[in-house]
Amino acid sequence: MSRDSKPEPKKPKGDGGLLNERTQVVHNEKLALAKENHALVSPTYTSVKYYFEKMEQAEKLVKGERTGFLYGRILNPSVRELELNLARLQGTEDGYCTSSGLAAISNTLLGLLRSGDHLIYMWQSYKPTRGLIHTLENRFGIESTRVSVLDHQSIEKAIVPGKTKLMIWESPTNPQLEIADMEFLTSLCKKYSLISVLDNTFSGLHNHRQYDVDVYIHSLTKFASGHSDAMGGAVLGNTGMVNRIRWGAFELGDNFSPREAAAISKGLKTYFLRYAKCAENALDIARFLKTLPKVKNVRYPGLEDHPRHELAKKQLKEFGAVIMFDIEGNKKDTYRVIDSLQLFKTAPSLGSVESLVLPVDLFFSGYLDEAQTKASGLGESGIRLSIGIEDVEDLKNDLRQAISGSLG
Ligand code: PLP
C-alpha cells in the first residue's frame, strides 16, 4: 500500500452497500505483503481465531484432510514455526510446544500413560518431576518405581514386562550433575519396548541427538529463551509420537502463547553463542572454585575428576551452565555466602544470560527417602550456580569476595 492510497471501504457479502464505520473498525483491513517482499522476522500471530472463506475448507481441516489453523489452543502459526525449528535443532521429525517445561513433562506422561501402567524414573530427577510422578501414582493410579540413574542393575530389575511402558531420565541431573549412560538406557528401552523420555533441558537442544530417544523434553524457559522473560516447554520426537502426546493430553487445555513463542524464537537465534559462552565460563569457574579455600565437592561434568567425565565427554558437545559445590560450613554460612554475592542473583532457573545462585537443600530436596537424601549430596552446605555470559573474571572476583568474606 502506498502512503497516499486509501483502503477501499469494505462491502458486505452479497450486495447491501457500504458498511458502517462501526462495523468496518471491527472487520479491519489486513495488509498482505507482496510475494517478493519479506519480513526478516516472522510476524507474531496473536489471532486466536482463523477462518476459511469456504465451509468446504473448514470441514477438511476438522476432518484432518488439510493443514491449517482454526483456534489458538489447537495450533498457532507462530507456535508451529517454533515447534519445527526446535525439532530441526534436536534432530527430530516434529515438535509440540507447551506452556512450561513442567507442562511438557506432564503432557507427555498423561498423553502416553493410563492408570495401571508402570513407569520408571530416577530419584535424581528434577524435584517437580518427582512430585508429578508422586501425584500420578497417588491420585491417578499410574504406578512407578524410582531408581538411581547410576544403578544399572536396579534399573533393569525395575522393569515389569508388559506393564512398564515408559522410562524418564535427565542428564546431567539437576542439581547433582550426574551423567546418565545414554547408550545403556536407550538400548534397555528398546530391548523391553519402553518409551524412552529424556528431559534434555540441562544439556540443551544440540546435545544427545545421536541417541535413539523417543521423546526429548525441554524447558524452553532456560537456554532456548535465554533472557529470563519467557516460559515454555517442548516435546520433540517423530510425528507419530508427538501427535500421541499432543492429542493424548489435548483435553487438559494446556496452551503455549504465541507471544512467548515470539520471545523464544528471538532467543533461539543466539542459542549457540550464549550456550558456548555459558559453558566456557562454567568450566573456567568450576576449575577456579576448586582452588578456593573452604570450597569442596565441586561438581561439573567438564571437570576431569567428575566420576563420569569420560562418559560426559563421549555424550556431550559441551557440558552446560550449572555447577554445584559445597562450602565448609552450615546453613547460616551458606546463606551468608549467597547473600554476599553481588553479580550472582539469588533466583531459580538456569541457562540465562545472567548468572544465578541457589542453596540446594531448600530448593531441590523433597520427595526423597532418607537414604536417597543422604546419597543425593543435597545438604545444607550445597550451592548451585547457573553461569551466564558475563565477563568470567568479574564472576570469579564476585565468588572470591563472597566466599572469603563470609567464611574467612
Ligand atoms: N526439567 C528440568 C531439568 C528443569 O531444570 C526444569 C526447571 O528448572 C524443568 C524441567 C521445568 O521447566 P519450567 O520451569 O519451564 O516448567
Side-chain angles (χ1 to χ4, degrees), residues 292-351:
L292 290 185
K294 312 266 176 166
V295 168
K296 53 186 188 176
N297 306 329
V298 181
R299 288 206 150 217
Y300 182 69
L303 287 177
E304 290 72 15
D305 64 357
H306 183 285
R308 283 191 165 184
H309 173 63
E310 286 308 316
L311 185 62
K313 251 181 20 187
K314 191 176 125 201
Q315 296 185 169
L316 296 166
K317 295 190 178 113
E318 288 155 299
F319 304 106
V322 177
I323 301 169
M324 187 180 139
F325 66 96
D326 285 283
I327 53 142
E328 284 172 14
N330 57 23
K331 179 173 154 182
K332 259 195 176 157
D333 299 314
T334 305
Y335 282 17
R336 201 165 335 114
V337 169
I338 290 175
D339 288 344
S340 307
L341 286 163
Q342 302 291 312
L343 283 173
F344 286 84
K345 298 291 179 278
T346 311
S349 203
L350 62 123

Tab-separated table of all heavy atoms in Angstrom, residues 292-351:
chain	number	residue	atom	x	y	z
A	292	LEU	N	39.772	-22.564	45.640
A	292	LEU	CA	39.419	-21.689	46.763
A	292	LEU	C	39.392	-22.459	48.079
A	292	LEU	O	38.848	-23.563	48.137
A	292	LEU	CB	38.033	-21.067	46.545
A	292	LEU	CG	37.878	-20.014	45.446
A	292	LEU	CD1	36.465	-19.440	45.473
A	292	LEU	CD2	38.900	-18.894	45.598
A	293	PRO	N	39.956	-21.863	49.145
A	293	PRO	CA	39.811	-22.493	50.460
A	293	PRO	C	38.345	-22.506	50.875
A	293	PRO	O	37.565	-21.646	50.427
A	293	PRO	CB	40.637	-21.600	51.385
A	293	PRO	CG	41.078	-20.421	50.608
A	293	PRO	CD	40.712	-20.603	49.170
A	294	LYS	N	37.959	-23.475	51.707
A	294	LYS	CA	36.588	-23.602	52.248
A	294	LYS	C	35.555	-24.015	51.196
A	294	LYS	O	34.355	-23.906	51.431
A	294	LYS	CB	36.105	-22.296	52.910
A	294	LYS	CG	37.072	-21.676	53.869
A	294	LYS	CD	36.772	-22.137	55.254
A	294	LYS	CE	37.828	-21.585	56.192
A	294	LYS	NZ	37.594	-21.636	57.536
A	295	VAL	N	36.041	-24.425	50.029
A	295	VAL	CA	35.131	-24.930	48.985
A	295	VAL	C	35.479	-26.390	48.753
A	295	VAL	O	36.652	-26.746	48.660
A	295	VAL	CB	35.297	-24.128	47.673
A	295	VAL	CG1	34.593	-24.826	46.512
A	295	VAL	CG2	34.757	-22.714	47.838
A	296	LYS	N	34.466	-27.264	48.684
A	296	LYS	CA	34.748	-28.686	48.419
A	296	LYS	C	33.676	-29.265	47.500
A	296	LYS	O	32.657	-28.616	47.239
A	296	LYS	CB	34.841	-29.475	49.725
A	296	LYS	CG	33.641	-29.299	50.630
A	296	LYS	CD	33.846	-29.982	51.960
A	296	LYS	CE	32.525	-29.917	52.734
A	296	LYS	NZ	32.507	-30.585	53.963
A	297	ASN	N	33.926	-30.487	47.050
A	297	ASN	CA	32.973	-31.231	46.201
A	297	ASN	C	32.480	-30.415	45.003
A	297	ASN	O	31.279	-30.359	44.735
A	297	ASN	CB	31.732	-31.673	46.996
A	297	ASN	CG	32.072	-32.461	48.225
A	297	ASN	OD1	33.089	-33.160	48.235
A	297	ASN	ND2	31.262	-32.356	49.267
A	298	VAL	N	33.377	-29.799	44.299
A	298	VAL	CA	32.948	-29.034	43.111
A	298	VAL	C	32.532	-30.034	42.037
A	298	VAL	O	33.291	-30.933	41.681
A	298	VAL	CB	34.080	-28.137	42.574
A	298	VAL	CG1	33.592	-27.346	41.362
A	298	VAL	CG2	34.588	-27.210	43.670
A	299	ARG	N	31.300	-29.874	41.554
A	299	ARG	CA	30.761	-30.822	40.574
A	299	ARG	C	30.454	-30.110	39.270
A	299	ARG	O	29.661	-29.165	39.235
A	299	ARG	CB	29.453	-31.421	41.090
A	299	ARG	CG	29.658	-32.374	42.202
A	299	ARG	CD	28.511	-33.356	42.234
A	299	ARG	NE	29.016	-34.599	42.760
A	299	ARG	CZ	28.636	-35.780	42.341
A	299	ARG	NH1	27.755	-35.894	41.388
A	299	ARG	NH2	29.139	-36.864	42.883
A	300	TYR	N	31.078	-30.551	38.214
A	300	TYR	CA	30.776	-30.050	36.879
A	300	TYR	C	31.243	-31.138	35.911
A	300	TYR	O	32.383	-31.618	36.033
A	300	TYR	CB	31.508	-28.715	36.620
A	300	TYR	CG	31.177	-28.132	35.267
A	300	TYR	CD1	29.900	-27.638	34.988
A	300	TYR	CD2	32.125	-28.093	34.235
A	300	TYR	CE1	29.588	-27.107	33.742
A	300	TYR	CE2	31.814	-27.563	32.986
A	300	TYR	CZ	30.541	-27.080	32.754
A	300	TYR	OH	30.228	-26.573	31.508
A	301	PRO	N	30.409	-31.587	34.990
A	301	PRO	CA	30.792	-32.737	34.154
A	301	PRO	C	32.032	-32.496	33.309
A	301	PRO	O	32.677	-33.446	32.866
A	301	PRO	CB	29.568	-32.947	33.243
A	301	PRO	CG	28.450	-32.201	33.879
A	301	PRO	CD	29.041	-31.109	34.714
A	302	GLY	N	32.386	-31.233	33.104
A	302	GLY	CA	33.577	-30.930	32.315
A	302	GLY	C	34.873	-31.046	33.101
A	302	GLY	O	35.964	-30.992	32.519
A	303	LEU	N	34.772	-31.209	34.425
A	303	LEU	CA	35.990	-31.363	35.247
A	303	LEU	C	36.519	-32.796	35.110
A	303	LEU	O	35.741	-33.756	35.173
A	303	LEU	CB	35.674	-31.084	36.715
A	303	LEU	CG	35.427	-29.635	37.112
A	303	LEU	CD1	35.045	-29.560	38.592
A	303	LEU	CD2	36.656	-28.774	36.839
A	304	GLU	N	37.830	-32.906	34.981
A	304	GLU	CA	38.455	-34.219	34.781
A	304	GLU	C	38.148	-35.170	35.943
A	304	GLU	O	38.107	-36.391	35.766
A	304	GLU	CB	39.978	-34.089	34.614
A	304	GLU	CG	40.440	-33.443	33.305
A	304	GLU	CD	40.170	-31.942	33.222
A	304	GLU	OE1	39.885	-31.312	34.269
A	304	GLU	OE2	40.230	-31.395	32.100
A	305	ASP	N	37.913	-34.631	37.149
A	305	ASP	CA	37.675	-35.533	38.286
A	305	ASP	C	36.182	-35.811	38.520
A	305	ASP	O	35.807	-36.422	39.524
A	305	ASP	CB	38.339	-34.995	39.559
A	305	ASP	CG	37.741	-33.663	40.003
A	305	ASP	OD1	36.858	-33.130	39.292
A	305	ASP	OD2	38.174	-33.152	41.064
A	306	HIS	N	35.318	-35.375	37.611
A	306	HIS	CA	33.911	-35.781	37.729
A	306	HIS	C	33.858	-37.292	37.500
A	306	HIS	O	34.489	-37.803	36.563
A	306	HIS	CB	33.068	-35.048	36.677
A	306	HIS	CG	31.600	-35.349	36.775
A	306	HIS	ND1	31.050	-36.546	36.361
A	306	HIS	CD2	30.563	-34.616	37.256
A	306	HIS	CE1	29.742	-36.534	36.577
A	306	HIS	NE2	29.424	-35.365	37.123
A	307	PRO	N	33.097	-38.039	38.347
A	307	PRO	CA	33.131	-39.505	38.249
A	307	PRO	C	32.773	-40.048	36.857
A	307	PRO	O	33.199	-41.130	36.491
A	307	PRO	CB	32.092	-39.964	39.281
A	307	PRO	CG	31.818	-38.778	40.148
A	307	PRO	CD	32.259	-37.548	39.439
A	308	ARG	N	31.978	-39.329	36.103
A	308	ARG	CA	31.647	-39.823	34.761
A	308	ARG	C	32.099	-38.821	33.677
A	308	ARG	O	31.414	-38.634	32.672
A	308	ARG	CB	30.149	-40.117	34.657
A	308	ARG	CG	29.744	-41.429	35.334
A	308	ARG	CD	28.317	-41.819	34.991
A	308	ARG	NE	28.038	-43.212	35.327
A	308	ARG	CZ	26.889	-43.825	35.062
A	308	ARG	NH1	25.915	-43.173	34.478
A	308	ARG	NH2	26.710	-45.091	35.384
A	309	HIS	N	33.253	-38.223	33.910
A	309	HIS	CA	33.743	-37.224	32.950
A	309	HIS	C	33.953	-37.821	31.560
A	309	HIS	O	33.588	-37.212	30.547
A	309	HIS	CB	35.046	-36.604	33.465
A	309	HIS	CG	35.708	-35.693	32.485
A	309	HIS	ND1	35.113	-34.527	32.033
A	309	HIS	CD2	36.905	-35.784	31.820
A	309	HIS	CE1	35.909	-33.936	31.154
A	309	HIS	NE2	37.003	-34.668	31.009
A	310	GLU	N	34.529	-39.026	31.515
A	310	GLU	CA	34.810	-39.633	30.198
A	310	GLU	C	33.513	-39.891	29.444
A	310	GLU	O	33.417	-39.658	28.240
A	310	GLU	CB	35.617	-40.946	30.364
A	310	GLU	CG	37.077	-40.724	30.748
A	310	GLU	CD	37.818	-39.746	29.816
A	310	GLU	OE1	37.653	-39.861	28.589
A	310	GLU	OE2	38.547	-38.871	30.334
A	311	LEU	N	32.509	-40.362	30.184
A	311	LEU	CA	31.197	-40.613	29.560
A	311	LEU	C	30.583	-39.289	29.086
A	311	LEU	O	30.039	-39.192	27.981
A	311	LEU	CB	30.274	-41.294	30.582
A	311	LEU	CG	28.903	-41.730	30.086
A	311	LEU	CD1	29.036	-42.781	28.977
A	311	LEU	CD2	28.060	-42.279	31.242
A	312	ALA	N	30.697	-38.270	29.927
A	312	ALA	CA	30.154	-36.954	29.554
A	312	ALA	C	30.823	-36.458	28.276
A	312	ALA	O	30.156	-35.929	27.378
A	312	ALA	CB	30.370	-35.955	30.692
A	313	LYS	N	32.133	-36.654	28.186
A	313	LYS	CA	32.876	-36.202	27.000
A	313	LYS	C	32.383	-36.924	25.748
A	313	LYS	O	32.287	-36.338	24.678
A	313	LYS	CB	34.370	-36.509	27.201
A	313	LYS	CG	35.148	-35.246	27.427
A	313	LYS	CD	36.639	-35.359	27.623
A	313	LYS	CE	37.378	-36.552	27.173
A	313	LYS	NZ	38.775	-36.548	27.605
A	314	LYS	N	32.076	-38.207	25.921
A	314	LYS	CA	31.613	-39.002	24.785
A	314	LYS	C	30.201	-38.566	24.352
A	314	LYS	O	29.879	-38.530	23.172
A	314	LYS	CB	31.596	-40.476	25.228
A	314	LYS	CG	31.388	-41.454	24.101
A	314	LYS	CD	31.490	-42.885	24.605
A	314	LYS	CE	30.220	-43.617	24.229
A	314	LYS	NZ	29.904	-44.779	24.968
A	315	GLN	N	29.382	-38.218	25.331
A	315	GLN	CA	27.964	-37.981	25.039
A	315	GLN	C	27.635	-36.539	24.656
A	315	GLN	O	26.690	-36.283	23.930
A	315	GLN	CB	27.118	-38.380	26.260
A	315	GLN	CG	27.206	-39.850	26.575
A	315	GLN	CD	26.300	-40.310	27.709
A	315	GLN	OE1	26.162	-41.499	27.896
A	315	GLN	NE2	25.686	-39.415	28.445
A	316	LEU	N	28.398	-35.591	25.231
A	316	LEU	CA	28.021	-34.176	25.115
A	316	LEU	C	29.014	-33.378	24.294
A	316	LEU	O	30.217	-33.648	24.349
A	316	LEU	CB	27.949	-33.551	26.518
A	316	LEU	CG	26.901	-34.097	27.460
A	316	LEU	CD1	27.175	-33.623	28.885
A	316	LEU	CD2	25.517	-33.657	27.029
A	317	LYS	N	28.492	-32.381	23.593
A	317	LYS	CA	29.386	-31.465	22.869
A	317	LYS	C	29.941	-30.420	23.835
A	317	LYS	O	31.066	-29.965	23.717
A	317	LYS	CB	28.614	-30.769	21.761
A	317	LYS	CG	28.135	-31.738	20.679
A	317	LYS	CD	27.581	-30.963	19.489
A	317	LYS	CE	27.155	-31.908	18.399
A	317	LYS	NZ	25.705	-31.915	18.185
A	318	GLU	N	29.095	-29.979	24.766
A	318	GLU	CA	29.512	-29.031	25.809
A	318	GLU	C	28.849	-29.491	27.106
A	318	GLU	O	27.913	-30.271	27.063
A	318	GLU	CB	29.068	-27.614	25.447
A	318	GLU	CG	29.869	-27.024	24.309
A	318	GLU	CD	29.115	-25.949	23.556
A	318	GLU	OE1	28.052	-26.255	22.987
A	318	GLU	OE2	29.573	-24.814	23.553
A	319	PHE	N	29.298	-28.979	28.226
A	319	PHE	CA	28.888	-29.570	29.500
A	319	PHE	C	27.852	-28.757	30.272
A	319	PHE	O	27.593	-29.018	31.433
A	319	PHE	CB	30.119	-29.802	30.385
A	319	PHE	CG	31.169	-30.654	29.722
A	319	PHE	CD1	32.335	-30.094	29.245
A	319	PHE	CD2	30.962	-32.019	29.566
A	319	PHE	CE1	33.304	-30.877	28.629
A	319	PHE	CE2	31.911	-32.816	28.951
A	319	PHE	CZ	33.091	-32.238	28.471
A	320	GLY	N	27.291	-27.731	29.663
A	320	GLY	CA	26.210	-26.991	30.309
A	320	GLY	C	26.693	-25.852	31.181
A	320	GLY	O	27.893	-25.522	31.228
A	321	ALA	N	25.724	-25.256	31.879
A	321	ALA	CA	25.979	-23.994	32.587
A	321	ALA	C	25.945	-24.141	34.113
A	321	ALA	O	26.158	-23.160	34.813
A	321	ALA	CB	24.926	-22.974	32.158
A	322	VAL	N	25.642	-25.343	34.603
A	322	VAL	CA	25.382	-25.474	36.040
A	322	VAL	C	26.548	-26.154	36.770
A	322	VAL	O	27.108	-27.145	36.295
A	322	VAL	CB	24.067	-26.245	36.283
A	322	VAL	CG1	23.824	-26.461	37.768
A	322	VAL	CG2	22.903	-25.475	35.668
A	323	ILE	N	26.872	-25.582	37.917
A	323	ILE	CA	27.924	-26.118	38.797
A	323	ILE	C	27.315	-26.297	40.178
A	323	ILE	O	26.504	-25.464	40.605
A	323	ILE	CB	29.096	-25.106	38.931
A	323	ILE	CG1	29.697	-24.784	37.566
A	323	ILE	CG2	30.154	-25.602	39.906
A	323	ILE	CD1	30.660	-23.597	37.600
A	324	MET	N	27.681	-27.370	40.855
A	324	MET	CA	27.273	-27.495	42.258
A	324	MET	C	28.535	-27.675	43.108
A	324	MET	O	29.490	-28.318	42.685
A	324	MET	CB	26.336	-28.686	42.440
A	324	MET	CG	25.751	-28.764	43.828
A	324	MET	SD	24.644	-30.179	43.996
A	324	MET	CE	25.130	-30.733	45.613
A	325	PHE	N	28.522	-27.078	44.283
A	325	PHE	CA	29.662	-27.272	45.201
A	325	PHE	C	29.184	-27.116	46.643
A	325	PHE	O	28.064	-26.660	46.904
A	325	PHE	CB	30.797	-26.276	44.893
A	325	PHE	CG	30.463	-24.829	45.155
A	325	PHE	CD1	30.819	-24.209	46.350
A	325	PHE	CD2	29.783	-24.079	44.208
A	325	PHE	CE1	30.523	-22.871	46.586
A	325	PHE	CE2	29.466	-22.729	44.435
A	325	PHE	CZ	29.837	-22.131	45.629
A	326	ASP	N	30.040	-27.527	47.570
A	326	ASP	CA	29.743	-27.352	48.993
A	326	ASP	C	30.739	-26.377	49.586
A	326	ASP	O	31.888	-26.292	49.133
A	326	ASP	CB	29.872	-28.687	49.738
A	326	ASP	CG	28.704	-29.596	49.443
A	326	ASP	OD1	27.626	-29.369	49.997
A	326	ASP	OD2	28.880	-30.524	48.613
A	327	ILE	N	30.287	-25.690	50.608
A	327	ILE	CA	31.236	-24.882	51.369
A	327	ILE	C	31.510	-25.606	52.691
A	327	ILE	O	30.739	-26.491	53.087
A	327	ILE	CB	30.683	-23.464	51.665
A	327	ILE	CG1	29.304	-23.573	52.321
A	327	ILE	CG2	30.622	-22.619	50.413
A	327	ILE	CD1	29.079	-22.562	53.383
A	328	GLU	N	32.581	-25.244	53.347
A	328	GLU	CA	32.813	-25.783	54.686
A	328	GLU	C	32.061	-24.891	55.646
A	328	GLU	O	32.495	-23.779	55.946
A	328	GLU	CB	34.316	-25.797	54.991
A	328	GLU	CG	35.012	-26.935	54.278
A	328	GLU	CD	36.520	-26.874	54.390
A	328	GLU	OE1	37.032	-26.113	55.235
A	328	GLU	OE2	37.170	-27.586	53.613
A	329	GLY	N	30.890	-25.337	56.054
A	329	GLY	CA	30.083	-24.506	56.938
A	329	GLY	C	28.679	-25.061	57.048
A	329	GLY	O	28.359	-26.105	56.481
A	330	ASN	N	27.841	-24.339	57.775
A	330	ASN	CA	26.465	-24.782	57.965
A	330	ASN	C	25.508	-23.906	57.137
A	330	ASN	O	25.940	-23.094	56.321
A	330	ASN	CB	26.108	-24.764	59.457
A	330	ASN	CG	26.323	-23.366	60.047
A	330	ASN	OD1	26.309	-22.372	59.315
A	330	ASN	ND2	26.545	-23.288	61.349
A	331	LYS	N	24.221	-24.095	57.413
A	331	LYS	CA	23.213	-23.383	56.619
A	331	LYS	C	23.396	-21.860	56.688
A	331	LYS	O	23.297	-21.163	55.672
A	331	LYS	CB	21.832	-23.775	57.162
A	331	LYS	CG	20.691	-23.108	56.469
A	331	LYS	CD	19.384	-23.694	56.981
A	331	LYS	CE	18.271	-22.694	56.820
A	331	LYS	NZ	16.993	-23.186	57.332
A	332	LYS	N	23.712	-21.380	57.876
A	332	LYS	CA	23.915	-19.933	58.041
A	332	LYS	C	25.049	-19.432	57.165
A	332	LYS	O	24.964	-18.379	56.532
A	332	LYS	CB	24.277	-19.635	59.510
A	332	LYS	CG	23.136	-19.125	60.316
A	332	LYS	CD	23.708	-18.544	61.586
A	332	LYS	CE	22.584	-17.929	62.404
A	332	LYS	NZ	22.937	-17.839	63.783
A	333	ASP	N	26.146	-20.228	57.133
A	333	ASP	CA	27.307	-19.846	56.306
A	333	ASP	C	26.923	-19.841	54.822
A	333	ASP	O	27.320	-18.955	54.078
A	333	ASP	CB	28.475	-20.819	56.532
A	333	ASP	CG	28.941	-20.807	57.985
A	333	ASP	OD1	29.094	-19.707	58.536
A	333	ASP	OD2	29.132	-21.903	58.552
A	334	THR	N	26.161	-20.869	54.441
A	334	THR	CA	25.725	-20.956	53.036
A	334	THR	C	24.934	-19.711	52.658
A	334	THR	O	25.170	-19.098	51.611
A	334	THR	CB	24.844	-22.217	52.834
A	334	THR	OG1	25.573	-23.340	53.277
A	334	THR	CG2	24.446	-22.401	51.383
A	335	TYR	N	23.990	-19.364	53.504
A	335	TYR	CA	23.152	-18.192	53.207
A	335	TYR	C	24.003	-16.912	53.190
A	335	TYR	O	23.768	-16.016	52.386
A	335	TYR	CB	22.023	-18.054	54.234
A	335	TYR	CG	20.856	-19.016	54.008
A	335	TYR	CD1	20.986	-20.133	53.195
A	335	TYR	CD2	19.618	-18.796	54.604
A	335	TYR	CE1	19.931	-21.017	52.986
A	335	TYR	CE2	18.546	-19.671	54.391
A	335	TYR	CZ	18.710	-20.783	53.594
A	335	TYR	OH	17.663	-21.641	53.381
A	336	ARG	N	25.001	-16.861	54.091
A	336	ARG	CA	25.843	-15.667	54.135
A	336	ARG	C	26.633	-15.524	52.822
A	336	ARG	O	26.736	-14.437	52.269
A	336	ARG	CB	26.798	-15.730	55.347
A	336	ARG	CG	27.298	-14.362	55.723
A	336	ARG	CD	27.941	-14.218	57.089
A	336	ARG	NE	27.555	-15.177	58.087
A	336	ARG	CZ	28.378	-16.100	58.620
A	336	ARG	NH1	29.638	-16.171	58.242
A	336	ARG	NH2	27.946	-16.925	59.558
A	337	VAL	N	27.162	-16.654	52.339
A	337	VAL	CA	27.896	-16.608	51.055
A	337	VAL	C	26.950	-16.116	49.956
A	337	VAL	O	27.285	-15.219	49.176
A	337	VAL	CB	28.465	-18.010	50.698
A	337	VAL	CG1	28.988	-18.033	49.267
A	337	VAL	CG2	29.561	-18.410	51.681
A	338	ILE	N	25.765	-16.709	49.903
A	338	ILE	CA	24.818	-16.355	48.826
A	338	ILE	C	24.431	-14.877	48.921
A	338	ILE	O	24.412	-14.156	47.909
A	338	ILE	CB	23.585	-17.289	48.884
A	338	ILE	CG1	24.014	-18.699	48.461
A	338	ILE	CG2	22.456	-16.776	48.005
A	338	ILE	CD1	22.953	-19.761	48.588
A	339	ASP	N	24.165	-14.431	50.128
A	339	ASP	CA	23.756	-13.020	50.296
A	339	ASP	C	24.894	-12.046	49.974
A	339	ASP	O	24.635	-10.879	49.672
A	339	ASP	CB	23.252	-12.777	51.722
A	339	ASP	CG	21.895	-13.412	51.955
A	339	ASP	OD1	21.235	-13.760	50.947
A	339	ASP	OD2	21.492	-13.573	53.124
A	340	SER	N	26.136	-12.533	50.059
A	340	SER	CA	27.279	-11.631	49.793
A	340	SER	C	27.592	-11.506	48.313
A	340	SER	O	28.378	-10.642	47.921
A	340	SER	CB	28.541	-12.140	50.495
A	340	SER	OG	28.283	-12.354	51.846
A	341	LEU	N	27.032	-12.392	47.506
A	341	LEU	CA	27.312	-12.301	46.066
A	341	LEU	C	26.637	-11.063	45.494
A	341	LEU	O	25.495	-10.744	45.850
A	341	LEU	CB	26.805	-13.568	45.356
A	341	LEU	CG	27.655	-14.817	45.589
A	341	LEU	CD1	26.889	-16.077	45.224
A	341	LEU	CD2	28.967	-14.743	44.806
A	342	GLN	N	27.365	-10.372	44.650
A	342	GLN	CA	26.826	-9.133	44.072
A	342	GLN	C	26.287	-9.365	42.670
A	342	GLN	O	25.210	-8.886	42.328
A	342	GLN	CB	27.934	-8.065	43.997
A	342	GLN	CG	28.564	-7.735	45.330
A	342	GLN	CD	27.602	-6.998	46.243
A	342	GLN	OE1	26.959	-6.045	45.824
A	342	GLN	NE2	27.476	-7.444	47.477
A	343	LEU	N	27.051	-10.087	41.853
A	343	LEU	CA	26.629	-10.295	40.455
A	343	LEU	C	25.656	-11.451	40.332
A	343	LEU	O	24.683	-11.386	39.581
A	343	LEU	CB	27.856	-10.583	39.581
A	343	LEU	CG	28.710	-9.394	39.204
A	343	LEU	CD1	29.971	-9.849	38.482
A	343	LEU	CD2	27.917	-8.456	38.287
A	344	PHE	N	25.934	-12.540	41.030
A	344	PHE	CA	25.043	-13.712	41.005
A	344	PHE	C	23.750	-13.356	41.724
A	344	PHE	O	23.780	-12.957	42.890
A	344	PHE	CB	25.693	-14.899	41.733
A	344	PHE	CG	26.797	-15.552	40.957
A	344	PHE	CD1	28.087	-15.041	40.993
A	344	PHE	CD2	26.557	-16.688	40.197
A	344	PHE	CE1	29.110	-15.642	40.280
A	344	PHE	CE2	27.577	-17.302	39.486
A	344	PHE	CZ	28.862	-16.781	39.520
A	345	LYS	N	22.637	-13.499	41.039
A	345	LYS	CA	21.351	-13.189	41.665
A	345	LYS	C	20.749	-14.463	42.245
A	345	LYS	O	20.820	-15.537	41.624
A	345	LYS	CB	20.378	-12.586	40.638
A	345	LYS	CG	20.881	-11.265	40.056
A	345	LYS	CD	20.874	-10.148	41.102
A	345	LYS	CE	21.374	-8.824	40.585
A	345	LYS	NZ	22.851	-8.680	40.566
A	346	THR	N	20.157	-14.329	43.425
A	346	THR	CA	19.545	-15.495	44.069
A	346	THR	C	18.193	-15.739	43.420
A	346	THR	O	17.193	-15.117	43.780
A	346	THR	CB	19.381	-15.246	45.579
A	346	THR	OG1	20.621	-14.762	46.069
A	346	THR	CG2	18.986	-16.511	46.315
A	347	ALA	N	18.176	-16.615	42.445
A	347	ALA	CA	16.942	-16.841	41.669
A	347	ALA	C	16.961	-18.243	41.086
A	347	ALA	O	18.027	-18.798	40.828
A	347	ALA	CB	16.853	-15.815	40.544
A	348	PRO	N	15.760	-18.802	40.864
A	348	PRO	CA	15.694	-20.135	40.255
A	348	PRO	C	16.002	-20.101	38.763
A	348	PRO	O	16.173	-19.033	38.190
A	348	PRO	CB	14.238	-20.553	40.488
A	348	PRO	CG	13.488	-19.292	40.670
A	348	PRO	CD	14.450	-18.253	41.170
A	349	SER	N	16.010	-21.289	38.196
A	349	SER	CA	16.189	-21.496	36.757
A	349	SER	C	17.663	-21.429	36.359
A	349	SER	O	18.552	-21.251	37.213
A	349	SER	CB	15.352	-20.493	35.966
A	349	SER	OG	15.104	-20.995	34.671
A	350	LEU	N	17.920	-21.586	35.081
A	350	LEU	CA	19.290	-21.712	34.560
A	350	LEU	C	19.279	-21.406	33.070
A	350	LEU	O	18.213	-21.279	32.469
A	350	LEU	CB	19.789	-23.139	34.773
A	350	LEU	CG	18.988	-24.212	34.038
A	350	LEU	CD1	19.879	-25.024	33.119
A	350	LEU	CD2	18.276	-25.122	35.008
A	351	GLY	N	20.463	-21.314	32.520
A	351	GLY	CA	20.570	-21.149	31.066
A	351	GLY	C	20.255	-19.742	30.596
A	351	GLY	O	20.003	-19.534	29.411
